[in-house]
Amino acid sequence: GQQSSTASGAARRTGPEQVGGERAGLSRMETWLRGDGLRSYKTTFRRLLGAYSSRLSAHLALGCISPRRLATEAMRAVPRGPHVEHFLYELCWRDFFRHAARRR
């Protein structure tokens, strides 16, 4: 998981443990979609502390889950509304910038 050092140098956990692989990515996706994260996403996604983010970035970046699968599952979980629309918007921009950054 994410760790930071305290004044004494001891590491303390600052976020959920990140486990790699497709199984872990799909499990994280399902857990987040079943929770309330997507139902309040547009108003909370920029918050740094708390369980506001999907925390799926690493799984997406490494190909453990596909953006298309995540979009499909998100629309199943919350068929319409400003929060799912904004999540899909952010997902599309993330994918676009990933491809744009690879162009030389």
Side-chain angles (χ1 to χ4, degrees), residues 30-88:
E30 291 168 7
T31 299
W32 188 71
L33 291 175
R34 278 193 311 253
D36 290 331
L38 189 53
R39 287 168 183 79
S40 61
Y41 183 80
K42 188 173 182 179
T43 57
T44 60
F45 79 103
R46 293 200 190 274
R47 295 183 185 172
L48 298 176
L49 297 176
Y52 303 110
S53 168
S54 69
R55 303 207 193 281
L56 291 169
S57 184
H59 297 289
L60 288 163
L62 297 173
C64 298
I65 59 173
S66 74
R68 180 178 286 178
R69 171 111 186 240
L70 178 55
T72 299
E73 297 298 330
M75 288 185 290
R76 281 187 187 141
V78 181
R80 64 182 66 88
H83 299 290
V84 70
E85 289 172 9
H86 193 75
F87 179 74
L88 296 174

